[in-house]
Amino acid sequence: MKRNTALLGFLLIGLLAHFSISAAAPGPAAGTPGDEGGITSVTLRNISFQPAGGTFQSDPIPAPFPFNAVVPEWESENEIRFEMRSGTERGWGEWLAIAHNDDFDDEVGEGEVGDMLLVPAADKRHDRVQLRVLSPSPPLASLKLTFIDTAAGPTTEELLAQQAALDAQKGVAADRTGNQANPKPGYISRGVWCTYAECTYNSCMPGDPLKYETVTHLIVHHTVTNNSGSDWAATVRAIFRYHALKSGNCWGDIGYNYLIDMNGVIYEGHRGGDDVIGTHAAGGNRGSMGVSLIGTFTWPSEYAGGIRPPDPMLNSLINLLAWKADQRRINVYEGAFMPDLGSARPTLMGHRDVYGTTTCPGGQAHALLPWVRDQVSGRLPWLVNDHIYIDELSSAFTKSSSLRWVAPRQCGYNTHAYYTWSTNDQNATPYWGEWRFNVPVNGLYDLQVFVPYCNTGRGETRGARYTVFHSGGSSAVTLDQQNRVGRWTSLGAFPLILSSDNRLRLIDITGDNPDGLGVWFDTIRLRRLENYGRVVLQEPAGEAWVAPSSVTFKWDVIDVYNPASMRLRVATDAAMTNIVLDKVYSASTRQVTEAFAVAGDVLYWQVTAVGWTTANSVVGKINLDKIPPTAALGKVFRLPSGQIGVQVIASDDQTGLESVSLQVRPAGGSTWSDVAVNSTRSTILYWPPNPAQIYEFRVSARDRAGNVRGYSASAEASTAGALVLTRVSNFAFVGQR
């Protein structure tokens, strides 16, 4: 864990006998100061300070060349904060507080890096710096100053004109078109603002090929440069030179994917374009888009000099984030897994939310992220956020007085959360927090909790004990918060009714062994489950063939809470718009039989369980068999036993033949008698009561859909002229299609 840099005041630079400047080796591209720019680091040792109006000031420190940006670095076992100013022989600029810039911690990891001091645009370049401290001790081992000159390049206005001309030459820029609701906003491309030779090749680039990953996370930074009026284009170039070329960094390019200046101008950052992996958040680089606000946006309690991001800058930030969220379908209210971190993080977050070791993007910018999230989501027509949120800072949350720790660095879903340490003493008086929630309508609600990733130096509880109080009583739920950091987790679905004591309670008593792990109390949310549970269609199964005269529907209901009724709809189209049956049955109904008179040959059906929630089945398809089978009588013959055999010829081309029936009467008679009912044989035997009598036969048939070919009014065969058999073979079954 990095040191906490929320310092109380200026800490001290050593009082030594004198100072000297020893130049370090130039960076990989020192350049020509005043032409294409340069970067050189010098190391200061043995600095002396003289009393000056209640403070201690160094002598002026000359720069190796005129510069428009300077970055200090130092090594010390103590937290160091001082002031620095730059100037010329004509005069000095304002004193600026220099503090440890923990934005670089995750990427550099070398000693302490301070804020980049920018020369005001009106002065263009300075040639000296001076330091000021409150006290001359404790000692400082060394101070390295990296001087950068990028003042000679084109201004932002000139770059915008160049970009406009380039876009006009291409027509509409290809990467800003598309069918999404939020096209890519206008920006100054890297090829326009970065014209140094090192922008396409430098010694840091070989062995560092471009890598790409689909963006799932949006990370907001600030550059921690002073906010006084500057040439922002020169600032971007200075940041590029420091990131890409300064000895010890050598990232090969500017770390951020995009930068935004105070006027809302967007600059393309890390080479490679969209979805390229930048160098801005260490383990959070892969799968993220890093956007840096040019300036310092800290609270005074973090360190002096920060401001609220101006509106033009925020508008461009929202436009840029909305474009990428729309393009990649990023739900900015959720959290998602980051592979290089091994855990989840919010999909829209500040740099400090990645590790919890930096103040970036500054407290005043970070506090706006919930608002930014809402603004971005409002631009996404496909994102429906139908949750009810209950924040731990609202009046709907109460807690024990012992629950008093607040998450560090504005950590938490809405930049705040409470936490305490777990105990496994089951007899202890619990530290507790309770969220109460009234619901707009009775229903079944999914209840979710958010577990923030916060850097406290300890892990989180494996056994957070929640109790949900709902209309059905209470339910105990245990959650492993350690495995759910950075994301929303459902505790389950619970019945909630109006004007009831609906609430969620969390205590610090867990089963952790050892105990002393974080127990987190952050925002919760509810969503009414309009469709919950399942209705499973059983019969007719698949694309069954049925007779429309009598269709039996059968289904099952799974995990539907307290259904009030069942609704069956039948239509002639798969979209269920041309309804031919819409009927409601009792809640216990699982089978009904209905008849249909429709012109088509296909029906579609769906069952809905209606109650606290609504559960719809899939749409089933039924093929209508309206054509009865064909049936006729073939040969009639007499057997040696005296029996009469009658050959039945029947078939069905749709659902198949189910059975045949045969009737008989004496020739010329008026009354028919059953010989066989629902037989499956192709030859049916009959014992005649009077072998000398002539008998007449008729046949009917039924297909598997239930369609019947009825008996004809007259006889279809008789024993007159019947064949006489002297040998009998086995009889086959009917049923051929």
Side-chain angles (χ1 to χ4, degrees):
M1 177 179 175
K2 299 291 183 180
R3 288 196 293 269
N4 190 323
T5 58
L7 306 179
L8 298 178
F10 292 123
L11 296 177
L12 313 171
I13 292 182
L15 177 63
L16 302 175
H18 60 281
F19 78 87
S20 63
I21 301 177
S22 57
T32 304
D35 182 13
E36 281 202 336
I39 176 169
T40 296
S41 297
V42 298
T43 299
L44 310 179
R45 304 184 189 279
N46 302 326
I47 306 171
S48 63
F49 291 88
Q50 307 300 326
T55 64
F56 295 84
Q57 296 179 10
S58 72
D59 291 335
I61 301 169
F65 54 75
F67 61 89
N68 67 316
V70 58
V71 181
E73 298 177 53
W74 60 90
E75 295 181 7
S76 175
E77 292 301 317
N78 304 290
E79 295 290 356
I80 300 296
R81 180 174 286 183
F82 55 94
E83 289 184 320
M84 184 166 65
R85 66 180 178 179
S86 62
T88 65
E89 63 180 4
R90 296 185 302 276
W92 290 99
E94 62 179 325
W95 288 104
L96 296 174
I98 302 295
H100 166 71
N101 180 354
D102 45 18
D103 195 11
F104 286 97
D105 282 353
D106 301 328
E107 300 295 341
V108 179
E110 297 179 348
E112 309 287 343
V113 182
D115 306 334
M116 177 180 286
L117 183 153
L118 299 173
V119 172
D123 291 352
K124 202 162 187 176
R125 293 184 182 91
H126 286 170
D127 59 13
R128 64 197 67 190
V129 297
Q130 190 174 30
L131 309 178
R132 181 168 76 176
V133 296
L134 293 179
S135 173
S137 63
L140 176 70
S142 66
L143 177 69
K144 179 189 289 187
L145 295 174
T146 298
F147 295 95
I148 306 167
D149 177 28
T150 57
T155 65
T156 298
E157 291 72 19
E158 292 168 336
L159 292 177
L160 287 170
Q162 292 178 33
Q163 187 68 53
L166 183 63
D167 289 348
Q169 182 180 0
K170 293 180 179 179
V172 177
D175 58 358
R176 299 183 207 170
T177 61
N179 296 323
Q180 65 186 64
N182 297 274
K184 190 172 186 178
Y187 64 97
I188 297 176
S189 62
R190 188 177 182 279
V192 169
W193 69 259
C194 199
T195 57
Y196 301 140
E198 298 86 8
C199 292
T200 55
Y201 175 85
N202 64 65
S203 61
C204 297
M205 288 184 180
D208 180 27
L210 295 178
K211 297 179 182 179
Y212 293 83
E213 186 85 11
T214 298
V215 168
T216 57
H217 290 73
L218 309 170
I219 302 178
V220 180
H221 299 258
H222 68 162
T223 60
V224 207
T225 49
N226 49 294
N227 298 315
S228 56
S230 298
D231 181 344
W232 304 118
T235 300
V236 172
R237 293 192 294 268
I239 295 171
F240 163 77
R241 288 216 161 229
Y242 187 74
H243 285 193
L245 305 175
K246 183 258 177 184
S247 177
N249 289 0
C250 209
W251 302 344
D253 202 347
I254 198 165
Y256 312 114
N257 296 100
Y258 294 93
L259 303 93
I260 306 175
D261 70 22
M262 296 282 186
N263 299 315
V265 177
I266 301 172
Y267 304 79
E268 183 182 30
H270 200 88
R271 73 191 189 283
D274 297 334
D275 293 333
V276 70
I277 299 174
T279 314
H280 57 92
N285 288 334
R286 184 154 69 103
S288 70
M289 183 178 82
V291 181
S292 195
L293 308 178
I294 299 175
T296 298
F297 306 103
T298 51
W299 294 115
S301 59
E302 292 169 330
Y303 55 87
I307 63 171
R308 181 188 186 276
D311 289 343
M313 173 180 277
L314 291 173
N315 291 337
S316 292
L317 175 67
I318 292 164
N319 292 337
L320 187 63
L321 298 181
W323 157 69
K324 181 56 74 171
D326 198 5
Q327 180 195 66
R328 297 302 181 198
R329 288 299 192 266
I330 299 172
N331 186 334
V332 295
Y333 290 107
E334 299 297 329
F337 186 77
M338 301 193 82
D340 289 346
L341 296 177
S343 57
R345 295 293 187 274
T347 53
L348 196 164
M349 59 179 166
H351 182 195
R352 66 176 65 187
D353 300 314
V354 178
Y355 286 103
T357 56
T358 172
T359 57
C360 182
Q364 296 198 60
H366 193 264
L368 292 171
L369 291 185
W371 174 81
V372 170
R373 185 187 298 133
D374 290 342
Q375 295 300 308
V376 171
S377 70
R379 309 281 184 91
L380 307 177
W382 48 266
L383 178 55
V384 177
N385 184 33
D386 53 357
H387 290 91
I388 301 169
Y389 290 81
I390 299 98
D391 192 83
E392 78 284 354
L393 289 177
S394 72
S395 60
F397 179 80
T398 55
K399 64 182 182 67
S400 62
S401 58
S402 49
L403 179 61
R404 60 184 182 274
W405 289 299
V406 174
R409 296 186 184 273
Q410 295 176 298
C411 180
Y413 182 72
N414 281 324
T415 69
H416 180 278
Y418 290 111
Y419 72 100
T420 187
W421 305 119
S422 67
T423 176
N424 54 28
D425 182 357
Q426 302 300 310
N427 297 316
T429 300
Y431 292 10
W432 58 269
E434 211 169 67
W435 299 261
R436 293 182 178 271
F437 35 88
N438 197 5
V439 293
V441 294
N442 295 347
L444 195 68
Y445 287 80
D446 179 37
L447 175 58
Q448 298 182 358
V449 299
F450 187 79
V451 181
Y453 173 83
C454 299
N455 192 336
T456 62
R458 305 188 198 179
E460 323 310 342
T461 177
R462 299 279 185 176
R465 292 170 55 183
Y466 294 88
T467 304
V468 185
F469 297 89
H470 50 80
S471 65
S474 63
S475 301
V477 182
T478 300
L479 179 66
D480 182 346
Q481 290 191 341
Q482 176 66 36
N483 284 332
R484 303 304 299 174
V485 294
R487 68 177 73 191
W488 289 97
T489 299
S490 174
L491 299 182
F494 305 97
L496 304 176
I497 60 176
L498 288 163
S499 303
S500 184
D501 188 21
N502 306 313
R503 53 196 167 97
L504 173 67
R505 183 180 177 89
L506 173 62
I507 62 175
D508 68 332
I509 300 174
T510 70
D512 295 323
N513 187 17
D515 57 8
L517 300 175
V519 182
W520 291 92
F521 303 75
D522 203 345
T523 305
I524 69 168
R525 68 184 186 184
L526 300 157
R527 181 173 60 87
R528 184 169 183 266
L529 299 173
E530 297 289 345
N531 293 281
Y532 185 77
R534 291 183 297 148
V535 177
V536 180
L537 303 184
Q538 294 180 330
E539 294 179 12
E543 296 187 10
W545 286 84
V546 299
S549 58
S550 180
V551 183
T552 297
F553 300 96
K554 186 177 180 181
W555 61 87
D556 194 14
V557 178
I558 301 172
D559 293 336
V560 175
Y561 181 80
N562 196 23
S565 62
M566 297 290 142
R567 181 186 181 190
L568 170 65
R569 294 189 305 147
V570 181
T572 59
D573 62 313
M576 302 297 291
T577 56
N578 187 22
I579 301 295
V580 295
L581 177 78
D582 190 343
K583 243 175 148 175
V584 176
Y585 308 91
S586 67
S588 61
T589 303
R590 299 294 183 269
Q591 179 176 318
V592 296
T593 301
E594 300 287 350
F596 299 92
V598 292
D601 297 324
V602 178
L603 288 177
Y604 298 87
W605 65 297
Q606 185 177 46
V607 177
T608 301
V610 181
W612 283 51
T613 60
T614 300
N616 292 302
S617 73
V618 298
V619 175
K621 182 181 180 182
I622 306 168
N623 293 307
L624 297 182
D625 185 353
K626 299 179 180 180
I627 303 173
T630 61
L633 295 180
K635 295 179 180 180
V636 179
F637 46 86
R638 292 182 183 274
L639 301 177
S641 63
Q643 291 173 295
I644 299 172
V646 181
Q647 183 184 26
V648 178
I649 303 170
S651 66
D652 187 86
D653 291 333
Q654 292 180 314
T655 58
L657 189 66
E658 177 73 24
S659 63
V660 296
S661 298
L662 186 69
Q663 288 185 335
V664 66
R665 72 180 179 184
S670 60
T671 303
W672 292 92
S673 300
D674 290 329
V675 176
V677 177
N678 297 332
S679 173
T680 57
R681 301 184 73 90
S682 61
T683 300
I684 299 174
L685 300 180
Y686 171 62
W687 285 98
N690 181 0
Q693 174 72 45
I694 301 298
Y695 291 95
E696 297 174 331
F697 299 92
R698 67 178 183 178
V699 67
S700 74
R702 176 185 295 272
D703 65 19
R704 290 173 181 166
N707 295 304
V708 176
R709 185 271 195 190
Y711 292 109
S712 64
S714 59
E716 297 177 86
S718 74
T719 57
L723 297 174
V724 178
L725 301 182
T726 58
R727 185 169 56 88
V728 180
S729 299
N730 291 333
F731 299 118
F733 288 95
V734 301
Q736 303 97 321
R737 290 179 63 87

